[in-house]
Amino acid sequence: MDVYVARQAILDRNGKVFAYELLFRSGASSREFGGADATGATNQVVANALLNFSDAHLLGGKKAFVNFNRALLLDGLPLMLPKETAVIEILETVDPDADVIEACRKMNELGYTLALDDFLDRDGMLPLIDLAKFIKVDMRSTSREEQERIVNAYRPKGVAMLAEKVESHEEFDWAASIGFDYFQGYFFEKPVTVVGRHIPVSKVAALRLLREVQPLELDFDRVEQAVSADLGFSHKLLRYVNSAVFGRRVDVASIRMALAVLGEENIRRWVALAALPALASEKPGALVIQSVLRARFWELLAIASRVPEPDRLFLMGMFSMLDALIDRPLGESLREVGVAPAIIAALLDESPEKDPLKRIRGLAIAYERGEWDGAAALSEALGITTSDVVTAYRDALKWAEDVLAASK
């Protein structure tokens, strides 16, 4: 059985990743986790996803929020999951009848953590509220007055409040101001402002280095000068050359030798990875994680679909959040770095519908957001299977963790 598994970050008030919500899909005909046909199939989905995927790579040591409907709760499926990692998220469609309350009470007594999804103050919810550690509030479907009332009613009782579908920094600021503890949504992928923004010196240096690796043929002298001019970049380069990514130890006597050991393709990768922390200063760590994950995921999708020059997709994925990193419009940011016109057109959604770069971008974003219908249609258009996509995502997770550790 093909198993789609994607993850969405849940951040704390400081912008650090606290947990991930896992999104599932099983088979070509199942479009979501926990539907009417899910009881038998979803047992296998959850087992495959959490037992066959390495938690170290899928979760990075964080907790996993997993959705469950009534049937799955009563079947005891949550008890398959490790209580130290799993947060059992009870869907809003679950009526708090006696059987559900008893199942949740049993999980609570066994040490499992419960969360109430898309919370609304319905009749009979109090027993579940008393058992829950998290209440999730949909910022799109509730009024601000209701959001504030829910926080004031339940946060003093020791329940952690989680704002979901936070789509802008203004919404994040509002949710934080009224007492939400955690935040889920795509607000961290968007620029805070895009008008008249001054770029700090460290970010300028990173952009200059990125610009030096854009030509088809590298000028090693210029790259060497750009790296040598910054102690931080020099240190990162030497660490990277001798990291587990390459599985070897090299006695490097100079920056020039380190660059020669890497070779052109790996130089481009390293520069993109080394420049990210500088560009992402004062930004949520999830932004860097997602950028690196996208870079490798998009490249692996290009390899699977036999798109020429798959390394272009690495840079494309890495630069897909450049506007959020430096708070400038995406087109302007990409042109400052000197990104190829074909990549700019695909990222700005200006290329033809059948452009493979645009299709890979669409497939990857649909997958990471759990939009399974869109992901299935685009994978078919690219001539790859769901298994290809799942494998690419899994391998990208592992690679991203390894390479981020090596780039510190």
Side-chain angles (χ1 to χ4, degrees):
M1 175 186 291
D2 290 326
V3 180
Y4 277 99
V5 182
R7 68 183 194 183
Q8 292 181 356
I10 296 171
L11 309 184
D12 64 17
R13 295 174 67 89
N14 296 316
K16 298 184 181 299
V17 177
F18 165 72
Y20 291 101
E21 178 171 350
L22 299 187
L23 307 175
F24 297 95
R25 171 193 164 191
S26 64
S29 61
S30 175
R31 298 306 185 202
E32 61 184 23
F33 176 83
D37 61 344
T39 302
T42 304
N43 281 312
Q44 187 172 353
V45 175
V46 175
N48 285 346
L50 293 188
L51 299 180
N52 293 339
F53 279 72
S54 168
D55 282 356
H57 299 131
L58 184 62
L59 301 175
K62 309 299 182 183
K63 289 187 177 295
F65 281 63
V66 184
N67 291 335
F68 291 92
N69 65 9
R70 183 180 189 278
L72 299 173
L73 289 169
L74 298 186
D75 279 351
L77 180 61
L79 301 181
M80 293 176 59
L81 308 183
K83 61 185 177 184
E84 299 80 11
T85 302
V87 176
I88 310 306
E89 193 168 328
I90 303 166
L91 290 171
E92 70 279 8
T93 55
V94 176
D95 289 326
D97 58 33
D99 290 337
V100 167
I101 293 170
E102 180 57 31
C104 292
R105 183 174 289 114
K106 178 182 178 182
M107 287 186 287
N108 183 264
E109 290 173 352
L110 291 173
Y112 282 86
T113 301
L114 305 182
L116 303 181
D117 187 36
D118 288 350
F119 179 80
L120 293 174
D121 246 344
R122 297 179 287 148
D123 290 340
M125 288 296 292
L126 189 57
L128 290 183
I129 294 170
D130 289 340
L131 296 170
K133 183 175 180 180
F134 297 92
I135 284 178
K136 299 182 71 174
V137 179
D138 188 327
M139 305 301 280
R140 311 245 71 76
S141 63
T142 57
S143 68
R144 291 200 165 182
E145 181 181 13
E146 179 66 3
Q147 292 162 15
E148 191 166 8
R149 190 196 66 77
I150 291 172
V151 171
N152 290 337
Y154 300 113
R155 191 168 187 256
K157 296 182 178 182
V159 183
M161 307 304 299
L162 196 162
E164 58 181 335
K165 297 186 182 175
V166 182
E167 302 297 328
S168 71
H169 284 272
E170 189 275 332
E171 289 180 348
F172 168 76
D173 290 339
W174 156 257
S177 72
I178 64 171
F180 277 96
D181 303 288
Y182 301 103
F183 312 87
Q184 183 177 355
Y186 301 111
F187 69 98
F188 67 87
E189 296 182 10
K190 299 178 181 179
V192 176
T193 179
V194 294
V195 179
R197 182 78 173 189
H198 172 69
I199 303 179
V201 173
S202 60
K203 293 190 178 185
V204 171
L207 288 170
R208 286 174 179 164
L209 184 56
L210 284 168
R211 192 180 301 119
E212 294 298 343
V213 298
Q214 296 304 311
L216 292 177
E217 292 188 11
L218 290 186
D219 185 327
F220 274 73
D221 290 333
R222 291 179 63 90
V223 175
E224 181 183 8
Q225 290 170 10
V227 174
S228 299
D230 187 282
L231 178 61
F233 284 138
S234 299
H235 180 252
K236 287 176 183 290
L237 175 62
L238 298 181
R239 279 180 54 87
Y240 188 71
V241 169
N242 286 300
S243 71
V245 173
F246 297 99
R248 63 173 182 262
R249 180 78 188 178
V250 180
D251 293 326
V252 177
S254 65
I255 298 299
R256 183 71 172 216
M257 181 178 174
L259 294 172
V261 169
L262 288 184
E264 289 198 11
E265 181 179 345
N266 282 320
I267 287 173
R268 289 189 174 91
R269 291 190 184 196
W270 171 77
V271 167
L273 293 165
L276 268 184
L279 293 177
S281 59
E282 302 179 0
K283 294 287 185 176
L287 192 59
V288 174
I289 296 170
Q290 188 69 3
S291 296
V292 175
L293 174 58
R294 277 188 177 184
R296 184 58 173 163
F297 185 32
W298 295 20
E299 180 182 40
L300 291 175
L301 289 176
I303 292 171
S305 55
R306 295 181 173 81
V307 171
E309 300 177 87
D311 55 304
R312 292 181 302 164
L313 274 298
F314 182 90
L315 289 178
M316 186 171 156
M318 185 73 76
F319 292 152
S320 63
M321 297 179 177
L322 190 57
D323 53 340
L325 288 167
I326 63 174
D327 293 324
R328 301 279 285 273
L330 185 57
E332 179 182 320
S333 304
L334 294 169
R335 293 182 183 96
E336 279 185 314
V337 177
V339 175
I343 292 178
I344 294 176
L347 284 174
L348 297 181
D349 207 22
E350 295 174 352
S351 54
E353 289 301 318
K354 294 185 178 181
D355 176 22
L357 302 186
K358 182 174 183 176
R359 282 178 166 171
I360 287 175
R361 169 183 173 270
L363 167 57
I365 292 177
Y367 187 97
E368 72 185 33
R369 297 189 175 188
E371 298 167 357
W372 307 128
D373 283 332
L378 286 167
S379 61
E380 183 178 356
L382 286 163
I384 57 179
T385 67
T386 56
S387 293
D388 293 327
V389 180
V390 171
T391 298
Y393 190 75
R394 180 193 63 208
D395 291 348
L397 282 169
K398 181 180 185 305
W399 184 89
E401 180 182 286
D402 292 343
V403 82
L404 281 171
S407 300
K408 291 180 179 177

